[in-house]
Amino acid sequence: MDEGFIPYQQSLEDEEQSIKSTQSVIEQAIAWFRAHSMFVLAYGTGCGAIEMPPTFTSRYDIERLGVVGVATPRQADILIVSGYCSPKTLKRVIRSYEQMSEPKYIIGLGSCTINGGMYWDSYNTIKKLDDFLPVDMYVNGCMPRPEALIEGFVKLQEKIRANSSEAGYIQYRTRYAHYRANQERLFGTQVQPRYEENFAGMNL
Amino acid sequence: MLLLDLLLMLLIAYGFGFLYYGLYRNLSARVHGRFGPSLAQSFSDSIKLFVKEESTTFGWMFYLGPVIMASGAVLNVLFIPFLNQGESLQGLSSYGNLIVVLYLMVLGPLGNALGVGSSGNPFGVMGVTRGLTRLLALELPFYLAAIGVMIDAGSADFGIIMQAQSTQSNMFAHPLLFAAAFISFLGFMGKSPFDVVGAPQEVYSGPATEFSGKFLALLMSQSAMFSFAKLLLMVNLFWGGADHLGELVAKTFVLFVAATFIGSVYARFSTVQSVEFLIRIPTLLGIVGLALL
Ligand code: SF4
């Protein structure tokens, strides 16, 4: 494989294509419906949240893509974490994510979720959201415009249709020890119940 | 044969219910100056929810709630004849009449109250309380109008009520009764200004707050079918029913669009305001309409 960003990106896309062709017709249909009906729980953690209302209302009208906001994590498919998270907020974000039913995805909105952004040296925010929760799609920028968020949704749609086993919610189950260790390192003794306990006695 | 007929009725109610819901989202988007989702969006939503995993458990009563609601909606569809003549699409209407249908209409909300109550979610309970309070006020004018229609036709049977309108429909013969029924019909459809039950920004999703996955899908499907049943009821009681399927679609469509447009331009009443309004204006219209019979 050639070195560099573009060949690397290409190799990722080729992989998605090959996964798609191994799906049965019914799996493809279900993936299509999933990709075209996304219920969003928008968690306004940072200043990037201000770009979400225009995305959802008349000016940019993301409902065209089948995206609607819902008021409770129970009904949501997608969690938008819009910017920096203090540990206190992160606890709530994790709790909300764990209450969502699978399949579920996370969009990290803004540079702060990627590497800390302009809060890179802050004592009171996390630097990399992916250490604590599996992020499926990043939208970079500070702050990202609604167009960028829409682009993020379109890319996420492609990812959902590819139905890959790399999806975040599967990662969160299979690599829970990793995420949990990071969470415990941050929160110390004040941690929430383990994710598996939510499913105790359920046949998944 | 009857079974096939019933199945067909359910399919029509399901299909048109969802199509109308998609249309509602589309039309209200246009009113807001947006394009809105595609017409089939609600189908995608419900299929996606049906294949989604379930993560909440609150005991069996919680799950029974949506099932009771759905059975209420299904029975309603089956007891209201779709056409005013012929053998087909009559469902169980020969076994029941308007009174049975009015009785069945409250089955859903009660089932919902039982289910939501056992989840213990405060927003769900608030939504249910709002819904039941509003229901009390909604029923009064609607029952007055229904009684008027029954007195006029001399029967509670749908066939006879529709036959009595063969020369002039009840809408023109008894405009006051129609007005009373139409206003409370808007409330039954959950349209603004009476949409206090699932009011976002106030009680989150209201009764649906704790429901996810398949049960949310069941709730959506039953509400689509139930709204088609309510459209049918209005068409049968006041517009003389329909001779064939095309006429049925046209009449329910007009009624639905009227309700949607009225719903998109009014701001929401508070619960108390909506009860006060319903008890004053439409109830008064209904009483005057009854007196003029
Ligand atoms: S990326 Fe920029 S706009 Fe977004 S939360 Fe961070 S500082 Fe705010």
Side-chain angles (χ1 to χ4, degrees), chain A residues 6 35 37 61 70 80-81 87 94 103 105 125-126 128 131 173-174 178 180 183-185 198-199:
Chain A
I6 292 174
S37 158
D61 186 25
V70 289
I80 302 183
V81 182
I94 294 174
Y105 305 89
T125 61
I126 57 158
K128 194 174 162 197
D131 284 342
R173 256 194 280 150
T174 51
H178 161 77
R180 178 73 185 184
Q183 290 168 11
E184 278 177 2
R185 208 168 53 232
N198 293 346
F199 297 97

Side-chain angles (χ1 to χ4, degrees), chain A residues 30 32-34 36-39 56-59 61 63-68 70-72 74-77 99-104 198-199 202 204, chain B residues 25 29 32-38 41 43-49 51-58 200 204-205 208-213 216 220:
Chain A
I30 289 178
W32 190 89
F33 283 120
R34 279 191 179 139
H36 288 82
S37 158
M38 301 195 268
F39 289 5
F56 282 91
T57 46
S58 302
R59 176 82 178 174
D61 186 25
E63 202 182 358
R64 283 172 299 156
L65 305 181
V67 177
V68 282
V70 289
T72 121
R74 302 266 187 233
Q75 301 164 1
D77 305 308
Q99 285 182 48
M100 290 162 60
S101 40
E102 293 179 0
K104 52 189 174 184
N198 293 346
F199 297 97
M202 282 181 79
L204 287 181
Chain B
R25 287 172 71 174
H32 299 160
R34 301 185 279 128
F35 284 100
S38 73
Q41 183 61 47
F43 285 108
S44 313
D45 288 348
S46 79
I47 290 172
K48 178 209 71 180
L49 286 170
V51 294
K52 214 168 146 70
E53 165 231 53
E54 201 51 54
S55 70
T56 33
T57 43
F58 291 104
Y204 297 103
S205 320
T209 304
E210 283 292 336
F211 289 100
S212 61
L216 188 61
M220 275 175 65

Side-chain angles (χ1 to χ4, degrees), chain B residues 186-203:
Chain B
L186 287 180
F188 273 120
M189 295 288 276
K191 297 269 186 277
S192 277
F194 307 113
D195 54 342
V196 290
V197 179
Q201 306 100 24
E202 291 176 24
V203 288

Side-chain angles (χ1 to χ4, degrees), chain A residues 1-202:
Chain A
M1 192 178 79
D2 294 340
E3 297 271 311
F5 179 72
I6 292 174
Y8 176 62
Q9 182 75 13
Q10 193 60 47
S11 75
L12 287 181
E13 283 169 10
D14 289 347
E15 194 184 335
E16 284 189 356
Q17 279 302 324
S18 66
I19 292 170
K20 210 172 190 171
S21 57
T22 60
Q23 292 178 35
S24 73
V25 181
I26 294 189
E27 277 172 344
Q28 279 184 27
I30 289 178
W32 190 89
F33 283 120
R34 279 191 179 139
H36 288 82
S37 158
M38 301 195 268
F39 289 5
V40 172
L41 180 70
Y43 204 129
T45 62
C47 29
I50 204 70
E51 294 290 342
M52 282 196 285
T55 318
F56 282 91
T57 46
S58 302
R59 176 82 178 174
Y60 292 95
D61 186 25
I62 202 168
E63 202 182 358
R64 283 172 299 156
L65 305 181
V67 177
V68 282
V70 289
T72 121
R74 302 266 187 233
Q75 301 164 1
D77 305 308
I78 293 169
L79 174 67
I80 302 183
V81 182
S82 62
Y84 57 81
C85 288
S86 66
K88 198 173 171 184
T89 319
L90 184 67
K91 252 188 217 170
R92 277 76 183 169
V93 174
I94 294 174
R95 203 84 180 101
S96 304
Y97 178 70
E98 290 179 353
Q99 285 182 48
M100 290 162 60
S101 40
E102 293 179 0
K104 52 189 174 184
Y105 305 89
I106 297 187
I107 293 183
L109 183 69
S111 309
C112 283
T113 56
I114 302 174
N115 55 11
M118 66 187 258
Y119 294 94
W120 62 275
D121 62 347
S122 163
Y123 66 98
N124 199 23
T125 61
I126 57 158
K127 308 289 169 286
K128 194 174 162 197
L129 183 61
D130 201 40
D131 284 342
F132 305 93
L133 284 173
V135 181
D136 290 279
M137 186 58 61
Y138 284 113
V139 178
N140 71 351
C142 178
M143 46 194 46
R145 299 271 307 146
E147 291 95 331
L149 183 53
I150 291 175
E151 171 91 21
F153 270 112
V154 173
K155 286 280 176 229
L156 186 63
Q157 272 185 335
E158 285 167 17
K159 202 166 167 177
I160 295 175
R161 286 184 69 180
N163 208 356
S164 134
S165 58
E166 301 285 296
Y169 67 97
I170 299 177
Q171 295 284 318
Y172 197 61
R173 256 194 280 150
T174 51
R175 297 177 56 228
Y176 182 65
H178 161 77
Y179 291 109
R180 178 73 185 184
N182 284 335
Q183 290 168 11
E184 278 177 2
R185 208 168 53 232
L186 187 66
F187 302 137
T189 52
Q190 296 177 307
V191 282
Q192 46 225 334
R194 294 182 72 87
Y195 185 47
E196 298 108 333
E197 285 168 11
N198 293 346
F199 297 97
M202 282 181 79

